[in-house]
Amino acid sequence: MGRTMWKAVVAGGAALVFTGVAGVPAGAAEGGVAFSRVSVNGGKPIVIGVQERVEVHAVFRMTTKLRYDLGPMVFPYRGTTENAETVQSAIIGSDCKVVDSAKGICDFEEWLYIDPRDLDFGNEDAGTWRTAAQVYLPGDTQDIDDVNLPLRIQRATRVTVDASPEPVAAGKTITVTGRVTRANWDTHTYQGYAGRTVSLQFKASGASSYKTVRTATSSATGALRTTVKATGPGTWRWTYYGDTTSAAASSAGDYVATQVRVLHSAYRRVLHSA
């Protein structure tokens, strides 16, 4: 398929507000146009940091025998289709992949871009949005539908970990610290995320997956701290499972070796020499 950028960045980075027509149920042929099979970002939340423009892939089907001048496209919106607020800064759409020319059925791909540096983009934009589908028709008219697909836009989250001492004797205490932060779209920095329940997880050497050992609550600065007993060598990490406005994230793993075998061998040598 070819690609066409048909919707440029809004001047000054402001969120686009457009005038549409009354929304109808998904799949209904409003004015001779119907949208179906809409998928945005593979059904996953759209996670956005503080600097990087995010590319969101979408696919959909449009059925119409009408000639159209611009589009079609799908995008997140809030409000109503008559006066909607959107967050995208640009959209690149594919050419029609014909499914049934006699019935006017085409499949499309789309690449939608959201830039956290846009002037009107801020923390209030995190949360659940709805999805609209739109196409411009001749005579300065358009068809726009709510396709009944919720979208979640989330602030990116980061988690760090540090387990000590390294190595540690078996049965001794390990202190595991870390910090959970999330993107602040107003200041374009990552800031401590307070009051979050975060899971401490352990993957024993040779194991294929992590298991949750306990949970901790982040401090006012997002700091995490707890203690556990060393049961054997393995890797420790913190995992935050996310919420409505903030994405899930896990820290990198911190491997801690234990000295149980070394100490045991030394003890046997002492007994033998005695």
Side-chain angles (χ1 to χ4, degrees):
M1 293 185 188
R3 297 189 185 185
T4 303
M5 178 176 284
W6 66 272
K7 190 163 186 294
V9 177
V10 179
L16 176 68
V17 177
F18 59 84
T19 301
V21 294
V24 296
E30 173 201 328
V33 182
F35 297 96
S36 60
R37 301 193 180 190
V38 180
S39 175
V40 180
N41 205 38
K44 299 178 294 185
I46 300 169
V47 179
I48 302 173
V50 297
Q51 294 292 335
E52 302 82 10
R53 185 176 72 162
V54 174
E55 180 184 83
V56 181
H57 181 250
V59 293
F60 60 95
R61 173 169 291 183
M62 184 176 74
T63 302
T64 186
K65 293 184 179 180
L66 301 176
R67 183 173 66 86
Y68 54 93
D69 290 341
L70 201 60
M73 70 169 184
V74 296
F75 52 88
Y77 83 98
R78 280 177 172 171
T80 66
T81 53
E82 291 87 354
N83 188 29
E85 175 190 2
T86 74
V87 292
Q88 74 273 11
S89 55
I91 290 177
I92 297 176
S94 74
D95 297 330
C96 161
K97 180 180 179 181
V98 177
V99 177
D100 189 324
S101 58
K103 296 180 180 179
I105 302 175
C106 285
D107 283 340
F108 293 89
E109 280 190 273
E110 176 181 291
W111 296 265
L112 180 147
Y113 297 90
I114 302 176
D115 196 329
R117 297 164 294 183
D118 282 353
L119 294 179
D120 281 359
F121 191 82
N123 292 335
E124 68 279 2
D125 292 316
T128 301
W129 292 65
R130 298 164 71 183
T131 307
Q134 183 181 28
V135 63
Y136 286 90
L137 305 171
D140 199 28
T141 61
Q142 58 188 305
D143 184 294
I144 178 169
D145 296 344
D146 181 331
V147 295
N148 194 30
L149 178 68
L151 289 177
R152 183 166 290 179
I153 297 178
Q154 294 180 320
R155 296 158 68 172
T157 304
R158 292 177 174 177
V159 189
T160 61
V161 67
D162 181 54
S164 62
E166 302 178 46
V168 64
K172 296 298 183 179
T173 298
I174 297 175
T175 300
V176 187
T177 59
R179 190 168 184 238
V180 55
T181 59
R182 66 169 173 169
N184 185 321
W185 295 333
D186 296 330
T187 62
H188 304 291
T189 58
Y190 281 86
Q191 296 181 339
Y193 198 9
R196 298 297 98 190
T197 299
V198 185
S199 296
L200 177 65
Q201 299 181 319
F202 180 68
K203 182 172 69 173
S205 292
S208 60
S209 61
Y210 283 89
K211 293 184 178 180
T212 297
V213 175
R214 63 180 54 183
T215 61
T217 302
S218 59
S219 72
T221 61
L224 300 164
R225 181 184 178 90
T226 192
T227 58
V228 292
K229 295 293 183 181
T231 58
T235 304
W236 297 90
R237 75 176 183 182
W238 292 104
T239 292
Y240 178 57
Y241 287 102
D243 54 64
T244 302
T245 61
S246 305
S250 293
S251 69
D254 189 6
Y255 180 80
V256 177
T258 59
Q259 297 173 313
V260 58
R261 292 180 180 174
V262 174
L263 290 176
H264 182 62
S265 297
Y267 181 63
R268 285 194 303 173
R269 287 197 297 270
V270 170
L271 289 177
H272 180 72
S273 63

